[in-house]
Amino acid sequence: MLQGIYAPIPTPFGADGEIDWNSFKENLQWWGKSSLQGLAVAGTNGEAVLLDADEKAKAFSFVRDNLPAKMKVIAGTGCESARATIRLNRTAAESGCQAALVINPSFFKGSLDDDSLYNYFMHLAESSPLPIILYNMPRNTALNMSASLVVRLSAHPNIAGIKDSSGNIVQIGEIINKSAEGFAVFAGSANFLLPSLVLGAAGGTLALANIMPEECVQIQKLHEAGCLDDAKYLQMKLMEINSAVTALWGVAGLKAAMDLLGLYGGPPRLPLLPLDDKNKESLQKIMHGLQLI
Amino acid sequence: MLQGIYAPIPTPFGADGEIDWNSFKENLQWWGKSSLQGLAVAGTNGEAVLLDADEKAKAFSFVRDNLPAKMKVIAGTGCESARATIRLNRTAAESGCQAALVINPSFFKGSLDDDSLYNYFMHLAESSPLPIILYNMPRNTALNMSASLVVRLSAHPNIAGIKDSSGNIVQIGEIINKSAEGFAVFAGSANFLLPSLVLGAAGGTLALANIMPEECVQIQKLHEAGCLDDAKYLQMKLMEINSAVTALWGVAGLKAAMDLLGLYGGPPRLPLLPLDDKNKESLQKIMHGLQLI
Amino acid sequence: MLQGIYAPIPTPFGADGEIDWNSFKENLQWWGKSSLQGLAVAGTNGEAVLLDADEKAKAFSFVRDNLPAKMKVIAGTGCESARATIRLNRTAAESGCQAALVINPSFFKGSLDDDSLYNYFMHLAESSPLPIILYNMPRNTALNMSASLVVRLSAHPNIAGIKDSSGNIVQIGEIINKSAEGFAVFAGSANFLLPSLVLGAAGGTLALANIMPEECVQIQKLHEAGCLDDAKYLQMKLMEINSAVTALWGVAGLKAAMDLLGLYGGPPRLPLLPLDDKNKESLQKIMHGLQLI
Amino acid sequence: MLQGIYAPIPTPFGADGEIDWNSFKENLQWWGKSSLQGLAVAGTNGEAVLLDADEKAKAFSFVRDNLPAKMKVIAGTGCESARATIRLNRTAAESGCQAALVINPSFFKGSLDDDSLYNYFMHLAESSPLPIILYNMPRNTALNMSASLVVRLSAHPNIAGIKDSSGNIVQIGEIINKSAEGFAVFAGSANFLLPSLVLGAAGGTLALANIMPEECVQIQKLHEAGCLDDAKYLQMKLMEINSAVTALWGVAGLKAAMDLLGLYGGPPRLPLLPLDDKNKESLQKIMHGLQLI
């Protein structure tokens, strides 16, 4: 039901550092006209850890209210504590979102073994009014969710899938192979979308889908149609811009790319810094080379 | 001025998961009678990442109000965003705390190079009414603050010191050697207190000081008096219990040890779990062997 | 020219710790009748780092002499020093091997940046009578060869390809995408064979091919024929045994599996230990479940 | 018996890449007049992994023959295989060396858990005619020998000590605290010599001792005499040059420093490269600042 390509959208801030709701609305109108299956709000690219709980709550309903009904909204609700995450799961449900994206807590990594994380996510699954999508992002959390943990959790009817941003294709294969029927695995980056689809992934939640939604959707369509050569060609093409926009420059790169496209990117919040002029120029060249601008 | 031994206190929760202020008060009375230089509130052992901003604010003033005036209170204010940290720095100052302990943000580790962190901490130093103590905790953040970054930051008059929990004695030595006059370096664990003092550390902020405050203070006194053999003997003795209570079992171990001592430990918040019975028994044996109980 | 599936064969030792040439010959006769494109001698599974230079030299010619001419022999020649590697490259050429597999040196990892490794491999490429296949094995070397380094090296006419055992599918994709025309990329493990082929890999050098050569070859054939569903089914099936035989138990697991199949595995050399009885039993169950025995 | 300060000497190569025995002799005469307790041959700074077994054997006897009898010679004999290490242990004994320095094997790190390494070192201890000094060098091996493993091994009468280059002062403290009576712990770098001595280390095996032997010996003397302030002052001074010569530039830095001092450094072997001109200039400034040249 959830399968397809999602964009994990950035949160637009004005010069005063506050959320710029007008720009946000314009961005949403643009994405609303795309072929995307939906959007993910307050994920890594949404600078979730730099937002207050109130801001997240408002963003959930704002995005839901400004998107066509057929598009799904996945709310990023994961915090370090079960307590705060549970509250946001409820808020997200009340806002009409379709699923909650829950990153694993990671600060106390020395204590968070597989059993602790299993207990944590089962506790959330029991209490959440929305289906939960696990979110594995070891590059940021420095704590990988193992295939065996994810497989165990997949048995719970309220745990619907995982966004795996590890890029570990063997782990992704093992999860797909052994998880419960209907459990949806989403590639967490355009960099490994096609290999994941080939192994049976249900789609992707891709930073690149913010700025190149149609090309990302096209890879999945080509794969489904059995046009593997075309899919591979497109995969290779997207890898270059994706590495620059997301892997190398992170949120600042994505926001700068949105500005260059005529959408609103704006500055990230401190401690993040906007892309400097030299890197902006490099980005411009890459996007120009791909005829995006 | 800040030099000496501090306990980074745990936050006591009741069976309902809420802060148990009565038990908190009793713990504070016990620490208040100790030889400690002061307490650190809402640090790692205080489960800071599992507390709301309101809870932290209340804890700052509660601790300040329930301790003798001569004891210092260091407020753990560091969040992922500059915005939230700045707010807490102000709250801590209004509560009468003496310094703010600011852990480096780490979620966006791919973007947080030395220059970004320098910019972040300089921004905080300019805006904070309290002197800032940097807090390096790479075991939890997976992002070490380098000696050269800390040395650069030490030049700011409102950056007073660092709690370095890395255990990297070469890094600690380099910071002491090159940082600005008066910059105070605190060992972040009893495990490397004496080696740090020998190189010129100003003291320590030690989980173990919660349950063995006098022994921790004694190491510093013995070092100052030139009784190196006695200091070494005590250091070795403390290493064993410290490894169990803090390194191995984390917050759950510290809280269980407090319960065994007749103080109030209680359960940690989810995703953390209380020490299981088997480990509690091991802890009891270790503490019995040291004649603590 | 080199493309296809290779088995990186183990080196059989007798009870006295010396190479058991008779058993070696019998194993070679079995592999010689398979559909494999060739064998790799003295790689990781060949316990290369536990062999003397003389033993390697003898193994190169022994394998070449005991295999059908149509099968290719790739000689593992990489040592920590250029000096020793150059010698073995010459020996391998004199033995009639078709290519040299050269793992990157790694002991001095602090000094071996991309430029040092580029210089090293260019030096080898100039002096080697055989085409060189780079060998990236970061799980053992703790030093990954970056995509950009490999792409630079691919321009040299005597550097023919890479065995990439990193499992990093994004890196594999980048290398395929940007390396020189004709540069052959081999998946270093059956665990990620199909995803690599989908992105354009030339084949694989797979521990699993020692014991299940036909199934490994079949994945490549199914992919070439466009039978992606069947290829995926087989990939998933092989992942389970492969994880046990190679990832979990290493050389000892592979040797035990060969013993169970009626080939000669025998004991590894110290410091490696043979599989213990409990794990042997688990292995037997897995292989029985797959109807291998 | 072994306690004191040792220099792990570099191996001098001529322009042709062969060992330059004449220059080697001159270097040995210089060290032979120093206050050092002895030398370590064919360790990390001796480029052991780039030497043939024959070259190591010749170096052991050459060093022994060209040093005063009162100076101890520790032979670096550790290879990846037990087989090769055992041979070198015998050779070292026949050459009149006093102890064998055995680094843990590390290539098969996935299989080398504490039990495997325990078995390996016990096997060596039984067969070695010389007392064994364990050698922990995780920066190069990417495999740390745990305190509990070392403590277990310390019980064997033929395992005399450890050179711990980890820089992990807590681990060093734990080993000293729990190892068998008489087991000697050597700091593996001048960077943490004093803190190790304070906890009870028996001495150090220090790259810096190659070029500043007297200052290194002086730290231990000052510590023994209870002159902690002077020892600390010297420790801080040595940290700067040590970080440049060994941590930053590795073997190439050490060899360049020897050249600048009028000893023979010469080029390292490939894949290592000599220090480039820019870094040589920086090194010259550092050494000039310390009045070494």
Side-chain angles (χ1 to χ4, degrees):
Chain A
M1 185 201 86
L2 289 163
Q3 68 177 38
I5 304 297
Y6 293 78
I9 59 174
T11 308
F13 303 113
D16 61 353
E18 298 303 311
I19 297 180
D20 178 342
W21 299 102
N22 290 331
S23 302
F24 207 165
K25 193 168 190 170
E26 288 175 34
N27 287 347
L28 289 169
Q29 285 168 344
W30 192 79
W31 290 313
K33 290 176 199 147
S34 73
S35 309
L36 292 170
Q37 180 71 3
L39 303 183
V41 189
T44 299
N45 283 293
E47 295 172 66
V49 296
L50 309 182
L51 299 176
D52 297 336
D54 288 351
E55 291 177 318
K56 289 184 197 176
K58 191 161 174 200
F60 295 159
S61 57
F62 189 81
V63 172
R64 182 62 286 177
D65 294 348
N66 285 282
L67 271 192
K70 63 167 182 171
M71 287 186 80
K72 295 188 172 59
V73 177
I74 299 177
T77 61
C79 302
E80 285 289 334
S81 75
R83 190 182 154 89
T85 307
I86 288 168
R87 279 187 204 149
L88 280 172
N89 283 343
R90 289 188 186 136
T91 311
E94 287 157 13
S95 305
C97 296
Q98 276 63 55
L101 183 67
V102 184
I103 198 168
N104 55 292
S106 62
F107 185 79
F108 291 108
K109 36 187 73 59
S111 303
L112 294 170
D113 57 13
D114 275 13
D115 284 341
S116 296
L117 290 174
Y118 180 77
N119 177 72
Y120 171 78
F121 279 112
M122 290 299 279
H123 186 78
L124 293 184
E126 288 299 318
S127 66
S128 169
L130 288 181
I132 284 172
I133 300 175
L134 309 171
Y135 182 16
N136 187 35
M137 184 58 165
R139 205 155 46 109
N140 290 69
T141 62
L143 180 62
N144 181 59
M145 293 183 72
S146 72
S148 62
L149 169 62
V150 174
V151 167
R152 277 167 74 194
L153 287 168
S154 74
H156 194 286
N158 206 27
I159 298 184
I162 185 170
K163 169 179 181 178
D164 194 333
S165 298
S166 68
N168 183 336
I169 197 69
V170 181
Q171 178 170 286
I172 288 172
E174 284 179 350
I175 293 171
I176 292 172
N177 195 26
K178 298 196 179 164
S179 57
E181 181 78 24
F183 186 76
V185 176
F186 297 92
S189 159
N191 270 343
F192 49 90
L193 176 58
L194 179 59
S196 301
L197 293 172
V198 164
L199 293 181
T205 309
L206 319 167
L208 193 66
N210 282 297
I211 55 171
M212 298 178 73
E214 303 311 326
E215 288 85 347
C216 292
V217 169
Q218 187 66 5
I219 287 187
Q220 186 161 27
K221 284 190 184 155
L222 288 168
H223 171 257
E224 277 167 13
C227 305
L228 213 56
D229 281 347
D230 292 346
K232 178 186 141 189
Y233 177 83
L234 196 50
Q235 171 68 59
M236 291 298 193
K237 185 178 156 191
L238 297 192
M239 225 176 231
E240 284 191 60
I241 170 112
N242 188 59
S243 294
V245 172
T246 68
L248 182 59
W249 292 318
V251 175
L254 174 59
K255 289 194 156 180
M258 290 186 61
D259 282 331
L260 286 169
L261 280 176
L263 296 162
Y264 184 84
R269 274 191 177 163
L270 272 176
L272 295 181
L273 297 170
L275 210 61
D276 64 28
D277 287 343
K278 204 186 127 205
N279 287 333
K280 250 184 215 160
E281 213 174 305
S282 306
L283 176 61
Q284 208 160 2
K285 272 184 201 159
I286 294 171
M287 292 179 70
H288 194 74
L290 286 163
Q291 297 183 299
L292 289 173
I293 51 173
Chain B
M1 186 202 86
L2 289 163
Q3 67 177 38
I5 305 297
Y6 293 77
I9 59 173
T11 308
F13 303 114
D16 61 353
E18 299 302 312
I19 297 180
D20 178 343
W21 299 102
N22 289 332
S23 301
F24 206 165
K25 193 168 189 169
E26 287 176 35
N27 287 347
L28 289 168
Q29 284 167 346
W30 192 79
W31 291 314
K33 289 175 200 148
S34 74
S35 310
L36 293 170
Q37 180 72 3
L39 304 183
V41 188
T44 298
N45 283 293
E47 295 171 65
V49 296
L50 308 181
L51 298 176
D52 298 337
D54 289 351
E55 291 176 318
K56 289 184 197 176
K58 190 160 174 200
F60 295 159
S61 57
F62 189 82
V63 172
R64 183 61 285 176
D65 294 349
N66 284 282
L67 272 192
K70 63 169 181 170
M71 286 185 81
K72 296 188 173 60
V73 178
I74 299 178
T77 61
C79 302
E80 285 289 335
S81 76
R83 191 180 152 90
T85 307
I86 288 169
R87 280 188 203 147
L88 281 173
N89 283 343
R90 289 188 186 135
T91 310
E94 287 157 13
S95 305
C97 295
Q98 277 62 55
L101 182 68
V102 184
I103 199 167
N104 56 291
S106 62
F107 186 79
F108 292 107
K109 35 187 75 57
S111 303
L112 294 170
D113 57 13
D114 275 13
D115 284 341
S116 295
L117 289 173
Y118 180 77
N119 178 72
Y120 171 78
F121 279 112
M122 290 299 279
H123 186 80
L124 292 184
E126 287 300 317
S127 66
S128 168
L130 288 181
I132 283 172
I133 300 175
L134 308 171
Y135 181 16
N136 187 35
M137 185 59 165
R139 205 155 45 109
N140 291 67
T141 62
L143 180 61
N144 181 58
M145 293 184 73
S146 72
S148 62
L149 168 62
V150 174
V151 167
R152 277 167 75 194
L153 288 168
S154 74
H156 193 287
N158 206 26
I159 298 184
I162 185 170
K163 169 180 181 178
D164 194 333
S165 298
S166 68
N168 183 336
I169 197 69
V170 181
Q171 177 170 287
I172 289 173
E174 285 178 351
I175 293 171
I176 293 171
N177 195 26
K178 297 194 179 165
S179 56
E181 181 79 23
F183 185 77
V185 175
F186 296 91
S189 159
N191 270 345
F192 48 89
L193 176 57
L194 179 59
S196 302
L197 293 171
V198 164
L199 293 180
T205 309
L206 318 168
L208 193 66
N210 281 297
I211 55 172
M212 299 178 72
E214 302 311 326
E215 288 85 346
C216 293
V217 169
Q218 187 66 6
I219 288 186
Q220 186 162 27
K221 283 191 186 156
L222 288 168
H223 171 257
E224 278 166 13
C227 306
L228 214 55
D229 282 346
D230 292 346
K232 178 186 140 191
Y233 177 83
L234 196 49
Q235 171 68 57
M236 291 299 193
K237 185 179 155 191
L238 297 193
M239 226 176 231
E240 284 191 60
I241 170 114
N242 188 58
S243 293
V245 171
T246 69
L248 182 59
W249 292 318
V251 175
L254 174 59
K255 289 194 156 180
M258 290 187 61
D259 282 330
L260 286 169
L261 279 176
L263 296 162
Y264 183 84
R269 273 190 178 164
L270 274 177
L272 295 181
L273 296 170
L275 211 61
D276 64 28
D277 287 344
K278 203 186 127 205
N279 287 333
K280 249 184 215 162
E281 213 174 304
S282 306
L283 176 62
Q284 208 159 3
K285 271 184 203 161
I286 295 171
M287 292 179 70
H288 193 75
L290 286 164
Q291 298 183 300
L292 289 173
I293 52 174
Chain C
M1 188 201 81
L2 289 163
Q3 68 179 36
I5 304 296
Y6 294 77
I9 59 172
T11 308
F13 302 113
D16 61 353
E18 298 303 310
I19 298 182
D20 178 344
W21 300 102
N22 289 331
S23 302
F24 207 165
K25 194 168 190 171
E26 288 175 35
N27 287 347
L28 289 169
Q29 284 168 344
W30 192 79
W31 290 314
K33 292 176 199 146
S34 74
S35 310
L36 292 171
Q37 179 72 4
L39 304 183
V41 188
T44 299
N45 284 293
E47 296 172 64
V49 296
L50 309 182
L51 299 176
D52 297 337
D54 289 350
E55 291 176 318
K56 288 184 198 176
K58 191 161 173 199
F60 295 160
S61 56
F62 189 82
V63 171
R64 180 63 285 176
D65 295 348
N66 285 283
L67 271 192
K70 64 168 183 172
M71 287 186 80
K72 295 187 173 60
V73 178
I74 300 177
T77 61
C79 301
E80 285 289 334
S81 76
R83 191 181 153 87
T85 307
I86 288 169
R87 280 187 203 149
L88 281 172
N89 283 342
R90 290 187 187 138
T91 310
E94 288 157 12
S95 306
C97 295
Q98 276 62 56
L101 182 68
V102 184
I103 198 167
N104 56 291
S106 62
F107 186 78
F108 292 108
K109 37 187 72 59
S111 302
L112 294 170
D113 57 13
D114 275 14
D115 284 342
S116 296
L117 289 174
Y118 179 77
N119 177 73
Y120 172 78
F121 279 110
M122 289 300 279
H123 186 79
L124 293 184
E126 288 299 317
S127 66
S128 170
L130 288 181
I132 283 172
I133 300 175
L134 309 172
Y135 181 16
N136 188 34
M137 185 59 167
R139 205 154 45 109
N140 290 68
T141 62
L143 180 61
N144 181 57
M145 292 183 73
S146 72
S148 62
L149 168 62
V150 174
V151 167
R152 277 167 74 195
L153 289 169
S154 74
H156 194 286
N158 207 26
I159 299 184
I162 185 170
K163 170 180 180 178
D164 194 333
S165 297
S166 68
N168 181 336
I169 197 69
V170 181
Q171 178 170 286
I172 288 173
E174 285 178 351
I175 293 171
I176 292 172
N177 195 26
K178 297 194 179 165
S179 56
E181 181 78 22
F183 186 76
V185 175
F186 296 91
S189 159
N191 269 345
F192 48 90
L193 176 59
L194 180 59
S196 301
L197 292 172
V198 164
L199 294 181
T205 308
L206 318 168
L208 193 65
N210 282 297
I211 54 172
M212 299 178 73
E214 302 312 327
E215 289 85 345
C216 292
V217 170
Q218 187 65 6
I219 287 186
Q220 187 162 25
K221 284 190 184 156
L222 288 168
H223 172 256
E224 277 167 14
C227 304
L228 214 57
D229 281 347
D230 291 346
K232 177 187 141 190
Y233 177 82
L234 196 49
Q235 170 69 57
M236 290 301 193
K237 184 178 156 191
L238 297 192
M239 224 175 233
E240 283 190 62
I241 170 113
N242 187 59
S243 295
V245 171
T246 69
L248 182 58
W249 293 318
V251 175
L254 174 59
K255 289 194 156 180
M258 289 186 62
D259 282 330
L260 286 169
L261 280 175
L263 297 162
Y264 184 84
R269 273 191 176 161
L270 273 176
L272 295 181
L273 296 170
L275 210 61
D276 63 28
D277 288 343
K278 204 185 127 205
N279 287 333
K280 251 185 214 161
E281 212 174 306
S282 307
L283 176 61
Q284 207 160 3
K285 272 185 201 158
I286 294 172
M287 291 179 71
H288 193 76
L290 285 164
Q291 298 182 299
L292 288 174
I293 51 173
Chain D
M1 186 201 87
L2 289 163
Q3 68 178 38
I5 305 296
Y6 293 78
I9 59 173
T11 308
F13 302 113
D16 60 354
E18 299 303 310
I19 298 181
D20 178 343
W21 300 103
N22 289 331
S23 301
F24 207 165
K25 193 167 190 171
E26 288 175 34
N27 287 348
L28 289 169
Q29 284 168 346
W30 192 78
W31 291 314
K33 291 177 199 144
S34 74
S35 310
L36 292 171
Q37 180 71 4
L39 304 183
V41 188
T44 298
N45 283 293
E47 297 172 65
V49 296
L50 309 181
L51 299 177
D52 298 337
D54 288 351
E55 291 177 318
K56 288 184 198 176
K58 189 160 174 200
F60 295 160
S61 57
F62 189 82
V63 172
R64 181 63 285 175
D65 293 350
N66 286 282
L67 272 192
K70 62 169 183 171
M71 287 186 80
K72 295 187 174 60
V73 178
I74 299 177
T77 61
C79 301
E80 285 289 334
S81 75
R83 193 180 152 88
T85 307
I86 288 169
R87 280 186 204 150
L88 281 172
N89 283 343
R90 288 187 187 137
T91 310
E94 288 157 12
S95 305
C97 295
Q98 277 62 57
L101 183 67
V102 184
I103 199 167
N104 55 291
S106 61
F107 185 78
F108 292 107
K109 38 186 74 56
S111 302
L112 294 170
D113 57 12
D114 276 12
D115 284 341
S116 296
L117 289 173
Y118 179 77
N119 178 73
Y120 171 78
F121 279 111
M122 290 300 278
H123 186 79
L124 293 184
E126 288 299 317
S127 65
S128 169
L130 288 181
I132 283 172
I133 300 175
L134 309 172
Y135 181 17
N136 188 34
M137 185 59 166
R139 205 154 46 108
N140 291 68
T141 61
L143 180 61
N144 181 57
M145 292 184 73
S146 73
S148 62
L149 168 62
V150 175
V151 167
R152 276 166 76 195
L153 288 168
S154 74
H156 193 287
N158 206 27
I159 298 184
I162 185 169
K163 170 179 180 179
D164 194 333
S165 296
S166 69
N168 182 336
I169 197 69
V170 181
Q171 177 169 286
I172 288 172
E174 285 178 352
I175 293 171
I176 292 172
N177 195 26
K178 296 195 180 165
S179 55
E181 181 79 22
F183 185 76
V185 176
F186 296 91
S189 159
N191 269 345
F192 48 90
L193 176 59
L194 180 59
S196 301
L197 293 172
V198 164
L199 294 181
T205 309
L206 318 167
L208 193 65
N210 281 298
I211 55 172
M212 299 177 72
E214 303 311 326
E215 289 85 345
C216 293
V217 169
Q218 188 65 7
I219 287 186
Q220 186 162 27
K221 284 190 184 155
L222 288 167
H223 171 257
E224 277 167 13
C227 305
L228 214 56
D229 282 347
D230 292 346
K232 177 186 141 191
Y233 177 82
L234 196 50
Q235 170 68 58
M236 291 300 193
K237 185 179 156 191
L238 296 192
M239 224 176 233
E240 283 191 61
I241 170 111
N242 188 59
S243 295
V245 171
T246 69
L248 183 58
W249 293 318
V251 175
L254 174 59
K255 289 194 157 180
M258 290 186 61
D259 282 331
L260 287 169
L261 280 175
L263 296 163
Y264 183 84
R269 273 192 177 161
L270 273 176
L272 294 181
L273 297 170
L275 211 61
D276 64 27
D277 287 344
K278 204 185 127 206
N279 287 333
K280 251 184 215 162
E281 213 174 304
S282 306
L283 176 62
Q284 207 159 5
K285 271 184 201 159
I286 294 171
M287 291 179 71
H288 193 76
L290 286 164
Q291 297 182 300
L292 288 173
I293 51 174

